[in-house]
């Protein structure tokens, strides 16, 4: 299974998470988002970029409650809450945003 | 399981869980498996602590760089434990000493204390060998890795 | 005939390192790899086993395995030479036979 982009292919697992984290770029993010019926806005990018920074620092994709708490801490409670994040990513801010960010499925999501 | 459902609240009984780590990080899979179980288990809102003794203290050494051996360096993930509300890491003093190490050789791991205006506090507590029996005796469940 | 011995277990967890040292002869070499590299660190409870050697046995440790475990070269006992993967291959070819203390 793979995403097709400008003639190149990027492998993903059965749930759509890319297998080679190094293969990620912004165009691929847009493509994965489109697959998830999400049109990327600045607000979406803010969360995706946050996740990528979190992964870079700690080498894990955070569980959703950890993500919400961490966003609340850095961006305030208007963004660090369930409603805001589920509005952006209806199928789950951690699962869906991690997929778009090119990260593994969050640790703690069974 | 959906992400909402994983905020498991089926039981109000909070139990004390101790994850006992006795293995070095890369030679076997135990250390990584333990860390993953801790992170998954942290969703269940229990009283979790981690113990590092014998070769387990090597898991917390700073400056690990696995590029040349082609394995994932999971040591930075210990620093995320505070975000998962895992804030008690007991490290055995004698195990460090037998290995020529001191607490200065370990990563700095902290958490923010909700009950103290989010003050940043160290998660690692040095514990003497003689104190470990009491720590184990105080648990409801001990998971060994 | 000289032997290249490799040890890949922590000296604190298994007796492989100790048993290896008891079975080396003059002209042999011991290469510490994987968790075996913890035996190469200064100031440990087993450091005397290496520092007390008479030099008849050459001692090596694999650099990539030291780096992975956060052990700097300055923390390695002076009589232990740090080698990379190329050095590992050189040792294999240099000695007549290899024995892995698993």
């Amino acid at each position: 299974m793979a995403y097709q982009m400008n003639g190149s292919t990027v492998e993903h697992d059965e749930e759509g998470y890319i297998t080679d984290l190094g293969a990620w770029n912004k165009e691929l993010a847009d493509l994965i988002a489109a697959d998830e019926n999400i049109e990327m806005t600045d607000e979406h990018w803010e969360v995706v970029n946050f996740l990528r920074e979190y992964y870079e620092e700690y080498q894990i994709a955070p569980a959703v409650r950890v993500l919400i708490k961490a966003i609340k801490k850095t961006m305030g409670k208007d963004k660090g809450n369930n409603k805001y994040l589920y509005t952006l990513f209806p199928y789950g801010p951690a699962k869906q945003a991690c997929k778009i960010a090119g990260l593994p499925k969050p640790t703690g999501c069974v | 399981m959906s992400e909402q459902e994983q905020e498991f609240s089926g039981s109000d009984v909070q139990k004390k869980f101790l994850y006992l780590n006795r293995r070095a990080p890369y030679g076997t899979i135990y250390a990584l498996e333990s860390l993953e179980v801790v992170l998954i288990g942290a969703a269940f809102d229990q009283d979790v602590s981690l113990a590092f003794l014998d070769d387990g203290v090597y898991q917390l050494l700073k400056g690990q760089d696995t590029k040349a051996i082609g394995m994932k360096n999971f040591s930075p993930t210990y620093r995320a434990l505070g975000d998962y509300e895992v804030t008690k890491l007991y490290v055995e003093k004698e195990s460090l000493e037998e290995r020529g190490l001191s607490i200065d050789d370990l990563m700095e791991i902290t958490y923010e204390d909700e009950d103290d205006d989010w003050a940043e506090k160290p998660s690692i507590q040095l514990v003497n060998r003689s104190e470990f029996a009491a720590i184990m005796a105080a648990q409801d469940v001990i998971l060994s890795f | 005939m000289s032997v290249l011995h490799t040890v890949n277990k922590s000296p604190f967890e298994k007796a492989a390192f100790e048993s290896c040292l008891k079975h080396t002869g003059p002209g042999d070499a011991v290469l510490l790899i994987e968790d075996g590299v913890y035996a190469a660190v200064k100031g440990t409870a087993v450091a005397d086993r290496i520092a007390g050697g008479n030099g008849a046995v050459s001692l090596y440790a694999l650099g990539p395995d030291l780096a992975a475990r956060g052990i700097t070269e300055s923390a390695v006992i002076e009589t232990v030479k740090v080698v990379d993967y190329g050095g590992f291959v050189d040792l294999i070819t240099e000695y007549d036979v290899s024995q892995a203390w698993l």
Side-chain angles (χ1 to χ4, degrees):
Chain A
M1 286 170 286
Y3 295 108
Q4 306 292 335
M5 188 180 61
N6 304 332
S8 69
T9 60
V10 179
E11 298 285 328
H12 64 74
D13 67 12
E14 68 272 14
E15 292 178 277
Y17 295 86
I18 62 169
T19 46
D20 173 11
L21 305 193
W24 187 88
N25 57 43
K26 299 214 160 196
E27 291 71 44
L28 180 64
D30 283 326
L31 186 80
I32 300 172
D35 235 37
E36 300 273 324
N37 291 317
I38 286 173
E39 195 179 329
M40 293 295 283
T41 64
D42 287 350
E43 286 74 26
H44 289 93
W45 276 112
E46 197 174 37
V47 176
V48 166
N49 289 333
F50 183 88
L51 276 169
R52 288 191 60 83
E53 281 163 27
Y54 195 93
Y55 189 87
E56 177 68 25
E57 173 86 9
Y58 299 116
Q59 297 296 304
I60 48 165
V64 64
R65 71 193 168 84
V66 173
L67 172 68
I68 289 172
K69 201 169 68 174
I71 286 186
K72 188 175 172 183
K73 204 168 78 187
T74 54
M75 303 180 203
K77 63 176 170 21
D78 289 347
K79 292 181 175 175
N81 66 73
N82 264 301
K83 187 171 181 293
Y84 175 78
L85 292 165
Y86 275 93
T87 306
L88 290 178
F89 302 99
Y91 287 95
K95 276 186 194 172
Q96 221 168 14
C98 281
K99 197 183 291 184
I100 295 165
L103 304 179
K105 193 171 169 177
T107 304
C109 282
V110 185
Chain B
M1 195 188 276
S2 81
E3 286 176 334
Q4 281 118 329
E5 280 166 338
Q6 76 167 305
E7 301 281 3
F8 181 76
S9 57
S11 168
D12 293 333
V13 184
Q14 212 189 36
K15 290 196 170 179
K16 284 172 75 80
F17 282 75
L18 177 71
Y19 293 83
L20 191 69
N21 299 287
R22 296 184 47 254
R23 308 289 191 115
Y26 302 106
T28 64
I29 196 74
Y30 288 92
L32 178 57
E33 291 280 304
S34 173
L35 186 55
E36 292 200 331
V37 173
V38 168
L39 294 173
I40 293 165
F44 292 87
D45 200 25
Q46 302 293 319
D47 180 355
V48 173
S49 53
L50 274 58
F52 298 86
L53 54 150
D54 298 340
D55 279 356
V57 299
Y58 286 135
Q59 294 176 26
L60 303 179
L61 271 195
K62 62 175 142 188
Q64 297 176 38
D65 177 0
T66 58
K67 275 193 290 292
I69 64 167
M71 290 175 78
K72 179 173 166 144
N73 176 6
F74 54 88
S75 66
T77 306
Y78 293 98
R79 293 190 292 104
L81 286 169
D83 289 350
Y84 283 75
E85 281 151 34
V86 176
T87 61
K88 287 172 291 198
L89 276 58
Y90 304 116
V91 175
E92 190 179 81
K93 194 164 164 280
E94 288 84 347
S95 294
L96 286 174
E97 286 166 358
E98 284 159 12
R99 289 160 182 78
L101 302 170
S102 74
I103 193 162
D104 297 334
D105 295 304
L106 306 184
M107 293 181 286
E108 207 176 317
I109 302 174
T110 58
Y111 71 100
E112 290 167 331
D113 189 347
E114 205 168 341
D115 301 325
D116 189 7
D117 199 22
W118 305 99
E120 194 161 277
K121 298 184 176 177
S123 299
I124 294 180
Q125 303 175 34
L126 273 190
V127 173
N128 289 312
R129 189 161 281 163
S130 58
E131 298 171 87
F132 252 107
I135 289 175
M136 287 190 270
Q139 306 299 321
D140 294 302
V141 182
I142 301 175
L143 295 137
S144 184
F145 289 90
Chain C
M1 296 281 278
S2 54
V3 181
L4 173 68
H5 303 263
T6 62
V7 178
N8 74 339
K9 297 296 189 299
S10 161
F12 306 105
E13 167 123 29
K14 293 269 183 349
F17 171 68
E18 184 60 34
S19 190
C20 168
L21 291 186
K22 285 177 183 161
H23 293 87
T24 51
D28 284 359
V30 175
L31 170 62
L32 302 168
I33 61 172
E34 300 170 19
D35 285 350
V37 299
Y38 290 122
V41 178
K42 286 177 193 164
T44 75
V46 301
D48 287 351
R49 296 295 291 130
I50 282 186
N54 56 10
V57 174
S58 309
L59 297 159
Y60 302 90
L62 193 59
D65 283 328
L66 289 167
R69 288 159 181 77
I71 303 167
T72 57
E73 292 205 16
S74 62
V76 174
I77 297 166
E78 278 85 6
T79 51
V80 178
K81 261 186 248 146
V82 177
V83 295
D84 58 13
Y85 289 116
F88 190 165
V89 175
D90 291 342
L91 286 170
I92 299 267
T93 57
E94 191 178 323
Y95 288 83
D96 302 302
V97 62
S98 311
Q99 152 61 11
W101 296 84
L102 300 174

